[in-house]
Amino acid sequence: MTLRIHDSATRQVRDFVPLHEGKVGIYLCGLTVQSEPHVGHIRSGVNFDVLQRWLRASGYQVTFIRNTTDIDDKILTKAEEQGRPWYNLAYEMAHELGKAYGLLNVARPTYEPNATGHIPEMVELIELLIERGHAYPAADGSGDVYFDVRSWKEYGELSGQRVDEMEAAADADPRGKRDPRDFALWKGAKQSEPRTASWPSPWGRGRPGWHIECSAMAGKYLGEAFDIHGGGIDLRFPHHENEQAQSRAAGHGFANYWMHNAWITTAGEKMSKSLGNSLLVPNVLERVRAVELRFYMVSAHYRSMVEFSFEALDEAATAFRRIENFLDRAPEAPRIAALRSELPGAFSEAMDDDLGTPAAVAVIANHVRDGNKQLAEGQSEQAATTAAQVRAMLDVLGLDPADEAYATGAGEETALAGAVDALVAGLLEQRTAARAAKDFAAADAIRDQIKAAGIQLEDTPGGTTWSI
């Protein structure tokens, strides 16, 4: 079966046909690293990680690009408020973002370019747009360069809008513009901003506009035309609309398919810093494990809005533990490769249906139910095979509990359990010695000490066992 994708540009489900046989290029708009990542930030990374995993499982060679915007107005403002260089803030927040991705088993992209590392490519693209009559330097001497939206007749096709129906952004600076809807490709340096936040250009020192960054980086690493461009639904306009317009106005084919993930909301509103309802990833992971948080996010379809609640998160964590419980009880079997040819047909059909992860998770749940039944009926060999299939399906979703990405927490838990076991074993030896010496008062005192720590003892003919 062929992967079918809901293309945001056409609003239709299309069969996925790569531009180059056997190879797929994906560009995901990464984050502006102005603050610590919250759960809403991480969703696009998780969703498109599932996409690239499924494409690899389907036999494609994937080049996956996820950029970082490390210079913009918000970064400059926050850095000034905190009294430190903007690049210091951007570097630290990019590091925090990388840690959050790692905790949730989001695979590293093929390349992760920073905007500030690609200024020459942006300047070159802006020059081409001016040459082709689609951009112009502002006449007011500010050093700004704008894209002329009326010069590109297809402007608005991605978001389904007409230029005359659009309004200029409330915070847009109208100086030097031919049309209030024209957008900045290059921003002239301001005296109020640090000199380190500007670079030389044919129009004077300045820095790139937000939209030109992605067009330049996508072109460098994926070529003038590539397969899939992704990001959050809030980026479709104006960011992706502007990306597509400037790239195609420059003569580039740009993205063949557009995919947008929906928001994670709280109280019906997009999770964001400005609303004060953000949930930082480390804070959420104090309540559930990383694999459980990822399971919660993957269980929803990428185009479905998710109303975040800790109750729903706890329910997802409990459901995932049921899967783990079966895997722990099932006999070991040879691992099944996470390849389409090795996976249950119902799982593949679900994933081919526009990454239908809810249906794919339901297939996993059905296999776990069957596996538990096989264990109850003493069918160990069949249960082992079922467990291997479950693990392979989880691997495609980045949810295999045995994955090294989740090993740090597991290792800490294992070490803690070992330390507790050693301490309890030592106390039990003292208790045994006291009982042998008929010092029952001392033996009872040791028993009470262990019980006070929340540990229950059970004396059996084969010795004393304990449990928490």
Side-chain angles (χ1 to χ4, degrees):
M1 185 175 177
T2 302
L3 171 63
R4 308 193 73 215
I5 293 174
H6 182 275
D7 180 20
S8 295
T10 62
R11 281 35 167 214
Q12 295 179 347
V13 177
R14 298 170 54 197
D15 288 349
F16 176 66
V17 180
L19 295 174
H20 305 284
E21 186 176 355
K23 298 181 179 180
V24 178
I26 304 174
Y27 187 90
L28 174 63
C29 276
L31 298 179
T32 299
V33 284
Q34 57 170 308
S35 55
E36 296 91 343
H38 57 59
V39 173
H41 284 142
I42 296 297
R43 186 180 189 186
S44 67
V46 171
N47 289 156
F48 285 91
D49 182 54
V50 171
L51 171 64
Q52 65 93 12
R53 285 172 183 266
W54 180 237
L55 288 169
R56 293 183 196 279
S58 300
Y60 291 105
Q61 180 182 333
V62 180
T63 301
F64 184 64
I65 311 299
R66 185 183 67 221
N67 79 294
T68 298
T69 296
D70 57 346
I71 179 68
D72 88 329
D73 294 343
K74 292 180 180 179
I75 292 175
L76 294 175
T77 299
K78 286 182 178 290
E80 183 179 7
E81 291 173 352
Q82 297 175 22
R84 57 169 163 169
W86 62 270
Y87 47 82
N88 177 273
L89 171 64
Y91 182 84
E92 181 182 342
M93 294 303 102
H95 181 67
E96 291 300 316
L97 176 62
K99 285 200 303 183
Y101 279 143
L103 288 170
L104 268 69
N105 197 17
V106 174
R108 293 183 63 85
T110 311
Y111 306 109
E112 192 166 16
N114 293 325
T116 55
H118 298 78
I119 302 297
E121 290 85 356
M122 299 176 204
V123 170
E124 183 179 351
L125 181 54
I126 295 171
E127 288 180 313
L128 177 59
L129 288 168
I130 293 175
E131 180 184 321
R132 293 173 68 98
H134 296 294
Y136 59 93
D140 61 358
S142 61
D144 294 347
V145 180
Y146 294 105
F147 182 85
D148 185 350
V149 297
R150 292 193 180 275
S151 74
W152 185 247
K153 293 181 180 180
E154 289 77 20
Y155 187 74
E157 62 181 352
L158 179 62
S159 57
Q161 302 183 75
R162 296 180 180 179
V163 174
D164 291 333
E165 298 172 350
M166 299 177 186
E167 294 183 3
D171 59 348
D173 188 346
R175 62 192 175 99
K177 289 185 178 183
R178 296 174 182 172
D179 186 291
R181 285 150 290 215
D182 291 349
F183 58 88
L185 302 174
W186 188 260
K187 297 182 177 182
K190 299 180 178 66
Q191 290 186 348
S192 59
E193 297 175 349
R195 184 174 175 80
T196 55
S198 65
W199 291 261
S201 81
W203 318 284
R205 291 191 68 85
R207 56 186 170 88
W210 177 30
H211 316 300
I212 199 69
E213 299 173 2
C214 292
S215 288
M217 288 185 281
K220 177 169 184 175
Y221 295 101
L222 295 175
E224 294 183 358
F226 56 94
D227 295 292
I228 299 172
H229 195 316
I233 190 64
D234 53 319
L235 298 182
R236 185 163 66 183
F237 185 87
H239 185 47
H240 288 168
E241 184 72 70
N242 293 349
E243 274 188 66
Q244 176 168 281
Q246 65 199 9
S247 296
R248 293 188 174 172
H252 302 168
F254 209 53
N256 197 22
Y257 298 82
W258 287 88
M259 297 179 69
H260 291 98
N261 64 274
W263 296 335
I264 292 180
T265 61
T266 53
E269 297 185 83
K270 175 189 173 186
M271 188 178 291
S272 67
K273 284 285 185 182
S274 60
L275 291 175
N277 58 5
S278 61
L279 292 165
L280 301 183
V281 173
N283 295 344
V284 176
L285 295 185
E286 291 178 1
R287 184 182 185 108
V288 297
R289 295 174 299 154
V291 68
E292 294 165 348
L293 175 57
R294 179 170 175 128
F295 181 75
Y296 171 70
M297 300 174 78
V298 168
S299 296
H301 193 273
Y302 76 93
R303 288 193 291 111
S304 299
M305 292 291 184
V306 174
E307 177 69 17
F308 183 89
S309 72
F310 281 111
E311 292 78 8
L313 178 61
D314 290 341
E315 289 176 4
T318 300
F320 187 78
R321 289 168 197 158
R322 286 196 290 268
I323 298 174
E324 283 184 302
N325 180 263
F326 164 64
L327 294 176
D328 289 341
R329 293 187 303 113
E332 288 191 19
R335 291 290 297 272
I336 295 176
L339 298 174
R340 175 192 290 268
S341 59
E342 302 291 335
L343 296 166
F347 180 86
S348 296
E349 289 176 9
M351 294 298 290
D352 278 337
D353 186 13
D354 194 29
L355 290 187
T357 54
V361 169
V363 174
I364 294 173
N366 289 338
H367 274 64
V368 169
R369 182 195 61 208
D370 293 343
N372 284 326
K373 183 177 179 182
Q374 290 162 352
L375 288 175
E377 295 175 353
Q379 301 174 16
S380 298
E381 186 175 342
Q382 294 91 326
T385 300
T386 301
Q389 291 176 326
V390 168
R391 193 176 294 279
M393 290 186 284
L394 290 173
D395 194 13
V396 170
L397 301 178
L399 291 168
D400 184 354
D403 196 300
E404 291 183 359
Y406 304 120
T408 301
E412 292 174 354
E413 291 175 6
T414 301
L416 179 60
V420 172
D421 187 50
L423 292 171
V424 174
L427 290 171
L428 289 178
E429 288 180 4
Q430 296 177 33
R431 178 172 179 258
T432 300
R435 294 175 72 181
K438 299 188 182 302
D439 188 352
F440 297 112
D444 290 344
I446 294 172
R447 180 200 61 201
D448 293 342
Q449 180 184 359
I450 295 174
K451 184 178 180 180
I455 296 170
Q456 182 176 347
L457 301 181
E458 182 178 357
D459 294 317
T460 69
T464 302
T465 63
W466 63 273
S467 61
I468 296 178

PDB file of all heavy atoms in Angstrom, residues 111-126:
ATOM      1  N   TYR A 111      20.795  16.870   9.320  1.00  0.00           N
ATOM      2  CA  TYR A 111      21.485  18.130   9.599  1.00  0.00           C
ATOM      3  C   TYR A 111      20.549  19.010  10.411  1.00  0.00           C
ATOM      4  O   TYR A 111      19.329  18.957  10.249  1.00  0.00           O
ATOM      5  CB  TYR A 111      21.874  18.876   8.308  1.00  0.00           C
ATOM      6  CG  TYR A 111      22.673  18.051   7.336  1.00  0.00           C
ATOM      7  CD1 TYR A 111      22.119  17.621   6.139  1.00  0.00           C
ATOM      8  CD2 TYR A 111      24.002  17.695   7.619  1.00  0.00           C
ATOM      9  CE1 TYR A 111      22.840  16.853   5.243  1.00  0.00           C
ATOM     10  CE2 TYR A 111      24.730  16.927   6.722  1.00  0.00           C
ATOM     11  CZ  TYR A 111      24.149  16.507   5.548  1.00  0.00           C
ATOM     12  OH  TYR A 111      24.869  15.740   4.674  1.00  0.00           O
ATOM     13  N   GLU A 112      21.139  19.828  11.294  1.00  0.00           N
ATOM     14  CA  GLU A 112      20.359  20.758  12.112  1.00  0.00           C
ATOM     15  C   GLU A 112      20.996  22.144  11.994  1.00  0.00           C
ATOM     16  O   GLU A 112      21.702  22.599  12.886  1.00  0.00           O
ATOM     17  CB  GLU A 112      20.302  20.294  13.569  1.00  0.00           C
ATOM     18  CG  GLU A 112      19.280  21.044  14.395  1.00  0.00           C
ATOM     19  CD  GLU A 112      18.984  20.365  15.719  1.00  0.00           C
ATOM     20  OE1 GLU A 112      19.774  19.489  16.131  1.00  0.00           O
ATOM     21  OE2 GLU A 112      17.964  20.695  16.339  1.00  0.00           O
ATOM     22  N   PRO A 113      20.742  22.836  10.885  1.00  0.00           N
ATOM     23  CA  PRO A 113      21.409  24.118  10.639  1.00  0.00           C
ATOM     24  C   PRO A 113      20.845  25.251  11.494  1.00  0.00           C
ATOM     25  O   PRO A 113      19.654  25.285  11.815  1.00  0.00           O
ATOM     26  CB  PRO A 113      21.134  24.368   9.155  1.00  0.00           C
ATOM     27  CG  PRO A 113      19.844  23.650   8.887  1.00  0.00           C
ATOM     28  CD  PRO A 113      19.853  22.441   9.777  1.00  0.00           C
ATOM     29  N   ASN A 114      21.711  26.192  11.853  1.00  0.00           N
ATOM     30  CA  ASN A 114      21.321  27.409  12.546  1.00  0.00           C
ATOM     31  C   ASN A 114      21.198  28.550  11.542  1.00  0.00           C
ATOM     32  O   ASN A 114      21.974  28.634  10.583  1.00  0.00           O
ATOM     33  CB  ASN A 114      22.361  27.806  13.599  1.00  0.00           C
ATOM     34  CG  ASN A 114      22.434  26.818  14.738  1.00  0.00           C
ATOM     35  OD1 ASN A 114      21.418  26.241  15.132  1.00  0.00           O
ATOM     36  ND2 ASN A 114      23.625  26.611  15.267  1.00  0.00           N
ATOM     37  N   ALA A 115      20.267  29.447  11.779  1.00  0.00           N
ATOM     38  CA  ALA A 115      20.079  30.575  10.872  1.00  0.00           C
ATOM     39  C   ALA A 115      21.352  31.411  10.753  1.00  0.00           C
ATOM     40  O   ALA A 115      21.740  31.813   9.652  1.00  0.00           O
ATOM     41  CB  ALA A 115      18.919  31.436  11.362  1.00  0.00           C
ATOM     42  N   THR A 116      22.021  31.677  11.879  1.00  0.00           N
ATOM     43  CA  THR A 116      23.187  32.554  11.847  1.00  0.00           C
ATOM     44  C   THR A 116      24.362  31.950  11.079  1.00  0.00           C
ATOM     45  O   THR A 116      25.285  32.666  10.719  1.00  0.00           O
ATOM     46  CB  THR A 116      23.644  32.892  13.271  1.00  0.00           C
ATOM     47  OG1 THR A 116      23.884  31.674  14.002  1.00  0.00           O
ATOM     48  CG2 THR A 116      22.600  33.708  13.996  1.00  0.00           C
ATOM     49  N   GLY A 117      24.303  30.661  10.812  1.00  0.00           N
ATOM     50  CA  GLY A 117      25.382  30.020  10.061  1.00  0.00           C
ATOM     51  C   GLY A 117      25.166  30.041   8.560  1.00  0.00           C
ATOM     52  O   GLY A 117      25.972  29.468   7.814  1.00  0.00           O
ATOM     53  N   HIS A 118      24.083  30.712   8.107  1.00  0.00           N
ATOM     54  CA  HIS A 118      23.746  30.660   6.685  1.00  0.00           C
ATOM     55  C   HIS A 118      23.376  32.036   6.134  1.00  0.00           C
ATOM     56  O   HIS A 118      22.560  32.165   5.228  1.00  0.00           O
ATOM     57  CB  HIS A 118      22.595  29.665   6.470  1.00  0.00           C
ATOM     58  CG  HIS A 118      22.962  28.269   6.863  1.00  0.00           C
ATOM     59  ND1 HIS A 118      22.990  27.859   8.170  1.00  0.00           N
ATOM     60  CD2 HIS A 118      23.368  27.205   6.124  1.00  0.00           C
ATOM     61  CE1 HIS A 118      23.388  26.590   8.222  1.00  0.00           C
ATOM     62  NE2 HIS A 118      23.617  26.178   7.002  1.00  0.00           N
ATOM     63  N   ILE A 119      24.014  33.071   6.662  1.00  0.00           N
ATOM     64  CA  ILE A 119      23.775  34.433   6.180  1.00  0.00           C
ATOM     65  C   ILE A 119      24.149  34.585   4.705  1.00  0.00           C
ATOM     66  O   ILE A 119      23.390  35.188   3.936  1.00  0.00           O
ATOM     67  CB  ILE A 119      24.532  35.459   7.047  1.00  0.00           C
ATOM     68  CG1 ILE A 119      24.104  35.327   8.525  1.00  0.00           C
ATOM     69  CG2 ILE A 119      24.291  36.876   6.537  1.00  0.00           C
ATOM     70  CD1 ILE A 119      22.657  35.617   8.798  1.00  0.00           C
ATOM     71  N   PRO A 120      25.304  34.061   4.247  1.00  0.00           N
ATOM     72  CA  PRO A 120      25.651  34.226   2.819  1.00  0.00           C
ATOM     73  C   PRO A 120      24.596  33.647   1.877  1.00  0.00           C
ATOM     74  O   PRO A 120      24.277  34.253   0.844  1.00  0.00           O
ATOM     75  CB  PRO A 120      26.985  33.477   2.694  1.00  0.00           C
ATOM     76  CG  PRO A 120      27.565  33.519   4.067  1.00  0.00           C
ATOM     77  CD  PRO A 120      26.397  33.409   4.990  1.00  0.00           C
ATOM     78  N   GLU A 121      24.044  32.481   2.227  1.00  0.00           N
ATOM     79  CA  GLU A 121      23.013  31.878   1.377  1.00  0.00           C
ATOM     80  C   GLU A 121      21.752  32.754   1.335  1.00  0.00           C
ATOM     81  O   GLU A 121      21.093  32.855   0.292  1.00  0.00           O
ATOM     82  CB  GLU A 121      22.658  30.491   1.896  1.00  0.00           C
ATOM     83  CG  GLU A 121      23.734  29.439   1.712  1.00  0.00           C
ATOM     84  CD  GLU A 121      24.781  29.431   2.820  1.00  0.00           C
ATOM     85  OE1 GLU A 121      24.707  30.309   3.709  1.00  0.00           O
ATOM     86  OE2 GLU A 121      25.655  28.553   2.809  1.00  0.00           O
ATOM     87  N   MET A 122      21.430  33.385   2.457  1.00  0.00           N
ATOM     88  CA  MET A 122      20.252  34.254   2.491  1.00  0.00           C
ATOM     89  C   MET A 122      20.470  35.504   1.656  1.00  0.00           C
ATOM     90  O   MET A 122      19.580  35.922   0.888  1.00  0.00           O
ATOM     91  CB  MET A 122      19.927  34.626   3.936  1.00  0.00           C
ATOM     92  CG  MET A 122      19.600  33.436   4.823  1.00  0.00           C
ATOM     93  SD  MET A 122      19.343  33.950   6.541  1.00  0.00           S
ATOM     94  CE  MET A 122      19.707  32.433   7.405  1.00  0.00           C
ATOM     95  N   VAL A 123      21.638  36.106   1.770  1.00  0.00           N
ATOM     96  CA  VAL A 123      21.952  37.297   0.981  1.00  0.00           C
ATOM     97  C   VAL A 123      21.899  36.975  -0.509  1.00  0.00           C
ATOM     98  O   VAL A 123      21.347  37.747  -1.311  1.00  0.00           O
ATOM     99  CB  VAL A 123      23.338  37.850   1.371  1.00  0.00           C
ATOM    100  CG1 VAL A 123      23.792  38.934   0.402  1.00  0.00           C
ATOM    101  CG2 VAL A 123      23.311  38.404   2.801  1.00  0.00           C
ATOM    102  N   GLU A 124      22.438  35.838  -0.893  1.00  0.00           N
ATOM    103  CA  GLU A 124      22.424  35.423  -2.293  1.00  0.00           C
ATOM    104  C   GLU A 124      20.997  35.257  -2.807  1.00  0.00           C
ATOM    105  O   GLU A 124      20.673  35.675  -3.933  1.00  0.00           O
ATOM    106  CB  GLU A 124      23.198  34.119  -2.446  1.00  0.00           C
ATOM    107  CG  GLU A 124      23.314  33.624  -3.870  1.00  0.00           C
ATOM    108  CD  GLU A 124      24.113  32.339  -3.979  1.00  0.00           C
ATOM    109  OE1 GLU A 124      24.720  31.916  -2.963  1.00  0.00           O
ATOM    110  OE2 GLU A 124      24.142  31.748  -5.077  1.00  0.00           O
ATOM    111  N   LEU A 125      20.123  34.671  -1.987  1.00  0.00           N
ATOM    112  CA  LEU A 125      18.737  34.466  -2.394  1.00  0.00           C
ATOM    113  C   LEU A 125      18.007  35.800  -2.508  1.00  0.00           C
ATOM    114  O   LEU A 125      17.214  36.017  -3.444  1.00  0.00           O
ATOM    115  CB  LEU A 125      18.032  33.554  -1.390  1.00  0.00           C
ATOM    116  CG  LEU A 125      16.562  33.195  -1.668  1.00  0.00           C
ATOM    117  CD1 LEU A 125      16.391  32.601  -3.060  1.00  0.00           C
ATOM    118  CD2 LEU A 125      16.039  32.228  -0.609  1.00  0.00           C
ATOM    119  N   ILE A 126      18.264  36.712  -1.591  1.00  0.00           N
ATOM    120  CA  ILE A 126      17.631  38.043  -1.654  1.00  0.00           C
ATOM    121  C   ILE A 126      18.075  38.775  -2.913  1.00  0.00           C
ATOM    122  O   ILE A 126      17.260  39.419  -3.600  1.00  0.00           O
ATOM    123  CB  ILE A 126      17.971  38.857  -0.388  1.00  0.00           C
ATOM    124  CG1 ILE A 126      17.361  38.201   0.853  1.00  0.00           C
ATOM    125  CG2 ILE A 126      17.461  40.294  -0.523  1.00  0.00           C
ATOM    126  CD1 ILE A 126      17.827  38.808   2.169  1.00  0.00           C
TER     127      ILE A 126
END
